[in-house]
Amino acid sequence: MKVLIVDDRAPDRSILRHTFQAHGCTTIEAENGREGLTLAARERPDLIISDAMMPVLDGFGFLRALKADAALRAIPFIFYSAVYTGENEEKLARSQGAEAFLVKPLEPNVLWQEVQSLLARRVGGEPVVPDEALRGEEPYLREYSHVVVAKLEEKVRELENMFLQMVRVLVNLLEAKSPWTMGHSERVAVIAVKIAREMGLDENRVNIIRLGALLHDIGKIGTCDALLDKETLLTAEEYAAVKTHPDFGADALLAIDQLKEVIPLIRYHHENYNGSGYSHHLDHAAIPLAARILSVADAYDAMTTTRPYRTLLGQEYALAELRRVAGSQLDPDVVQAFIKVLGQEEANGDEEIWRG
């Protein structure tokens, strides 16, 4: 049996080549649907096994062109793809004349058995033909768009998750510098997200705040370890050095386009509501709301965890202090939202993160 293998990934083609050759088959290979069409016309294989998503011409376009050619349409066509988001791919594949849509990876012997079973069904029977309802260009494109959208959405989720994991790697590198800050960024992120939702922010802005909270202290990578771990109060000169971390962190991330909306949170999270903060002395609405939310979450976590120069101050003290500085250091509306969230969490018995 002559098998045409069509896949843009060389390792996957190699696996298929060895699988079929181990059962006495002859194999020919193409990297995309366009090459596959050329080889199919020239070599007339007994079976085509193809990936779905490929450059130049993908598997669905390849299949559609194959079935439109009277000389080639009888060749059995099987999809073998790792990209599978639901029933849409299988439905479209079958409607266009494929024998099946198999999902990678399969053990070589299982794949061989599946192929043999599919081919056995064709013995003495008619080849699979495209669904008449989807032969027209518009119905096909409509169905195909569902497949593409599903795959794009899956890819976006994968990239978002990968990006968030990379952010957490950066945070872990920062927190490895000092045991005193371990877990600080994650806790601040949890608190800031809850405040943002309480204040009615949409999920896009909530996600920006989550990222900003995770990365808000990233500039401390450039701060001397001795200052982060110092057990006595900092001198004026040392404090001036520490105060450079918001700008240092924001500037370091400027090259990452995906963080452009996050950078203001990092740069301005130590600005005070009355303009007395650092490093740009912004006040009131000039400070982005997301940065004002982050300031409250950051302040609360700092007071309810142990630092090298003092023991933890506790929740009661922290709440009293937040109320005291509302309107001067912190945005009073954000403080009020935080207190409301805290009360809700306590009523639900979920207080662990709030007590440090």
Side-chain angles (χ1 to χ4, degrees):
M1 182 169 66
K2 184 187 292 186
V3 181
L4 171 56
I5 298 166
V6 186
D7 199 306
D8 59 320
R9 297 189 71 252
D12 289 351
R13 292 198 306 274
S14 177
I15 292 171
L16 288 171
R17 182 193 319 126
H18 287 99
T19 297
F20 286 103
Q21 288 182 355
H23 291 89
C25 298
T26 301
T27 60
I28 49 178
E29 299 175 26
E31 294 184 6
N32 57 66
R34 184 177 296 171
E35 290 182 9
L37 274 175
T38 301
L39 282 177
R42 187 176 72 214
E43 300 289 338
R44 300 300 171 93
D46 302 301
L47 170 67
I48 296 173
I49 185 162
S50 175
D51 192 15
M53 290 291 139
M54 299 178 290
V56 185
L57 181 64
D58 71 3
F60 289 100
F62 175 30
L63 172 62
R64 191 166 171 80
L66 192 82
K67 295 300 180 180
D69 189 325
L72 303 176
R73 67 170 59 124
I75 301 172
F77 188 107
I78 297 173
F79 275 110
Y80 185 55
S81 177
V83 184
Y84 184 77
T85 57
E87 296 180 356
N88 284 338
E89 294 96 328
E90 188 166 1
K91 176 184 175 184
L92 183 60
R94 293 283 297 175
S95 75
Q96 294 302 300
E99 307 292 327
F101 194 106
L102 303 180
V103 181
K104 297 177 185 175
L106 293 174
E107 291 292 331
N109 63 318
V110 174
L111 173 61
W112 175 253
Q113 290 169 6
E114 288 281 353
V115 169
Q116 289 296 97
S117 176
L118 289 167
L119 293 179
R121 295 176 197 169
R122 286 179 56 117
V123 176
E126 293 295 323
V128 179
V129 296
D131 188 335
E132 288 288 341
L134 287 177
R135 283 195 175 185
E137 195 66 18
E138 185 177 338
Y140 165 74
L141 289 175
R142 185 169 56 249
E143 291 298 322
Y144 182 63
S145 69
H146 294 324
V147 172
V148 172
V149 168
K151 293 183 187 304
L152 287 175
E153 289 175 344
E154 180 187 45
K155 186 58 66 177
V156 167
R157 286 192 296 270
E158 288 177 1
L159 290 173
E160 287 175 343
N161 288 335
M162 182 177 68
F163 186 68
L164 189 57
Q165 291 306 312
M166 291 176 65
V167 167
R168 287 196 162 98
V169 168
L170 286 175
V171 172
N172 289 340
L173 287 173
L174 165 65
E175 295 187 344
K177 284 170 63 72
S178 172
W180 304 103
T181 57
M182 191 65 66
H184 170 67
S185 296
E186 287 279 2
R187 292 192 300 273
V188 170
V190 170
I191 295 169
V193 163
K194 289 180 182 293
I195 296 172
R197 286 180 173 148
E198 173 60 32
M199 298 187 75
L201 275 64
D202 61 53
E203 280 304 301
N204 181 58
R205 295 180 72 189
V206 168
N207 287 330
I208 290 169
I209 288 171
R210 178 185 288 108
L211 279 175
L214 289 171
L215 290 167
H216 75 282
D217 275 342
I218 197 67
K220 287 183 179 178
I221 285 179
T223 303
C224 175
D225 291 4
L227 297 184
L228 298 178
D229 294 335
K230 189 175 179 183
E231 296 183 358
T232 57
L233 293 177
L234 300 177
T235 66
E237 183 179 358
E238 291 168 338
Y239 187 44
V242 170
K243 287 196 295 183
T244 64
H245 81 269
D247 281 335
F248 185 88
D251 291 343
L253 298 175
L254 282 173
I256 304 176
D257 189 58
Q258 293 86 343
L259 291 176
K260 62 183 178 182
E261 294 182 283
V262 173
I263 287 172
L265 281 73
I266 298 169
R267 194 179 299 280
Y268 303 130
H269 75 277
H270 277 295
E271 301 294 334
N272 287 346
Y273 194 64
N274 63 5
S276 64
Y278 61 86
S279 304
H280 300 270
H281 307 292
L282 303 182
D283 63 8
H284 297 83
I287 308 169
L289 174 59
R292 284 178 267 150
I293 289 172
L294 183 52
S295 294
V296 172
D298 189 27
Y300 179 81
D301 188 72
M303 288 186 285
T304 54
T305 53
T306 300
R307 293 300 170 98
Y309 51 87
R310 61 155 173 78
T311 59
L312 64 86
L313 300 173
Q315 185 186 71
E316 185 176 344
Y317 176 91
L319 285 173
E321 186 65 8
L322 291 181
R323 290 189 177 97
R324 186 183 72 81
V325 300
S328 55
Q329 178 182 336
L330 302 173
D331 182 335
D333 292 335
V334 178
V335 171
Q336 182 178 357
F338 168 77
I339 292 172
K340 184 176 180 180
V341 169
L342 179 58
Q344 293 169 348
E345 295 289 320
E346 289 181 332
N348 294 333
D350 185 12
E351 305 176 49
E352 182 178 356
I353 195 168
W354 306 95
R355 295 190 180 279

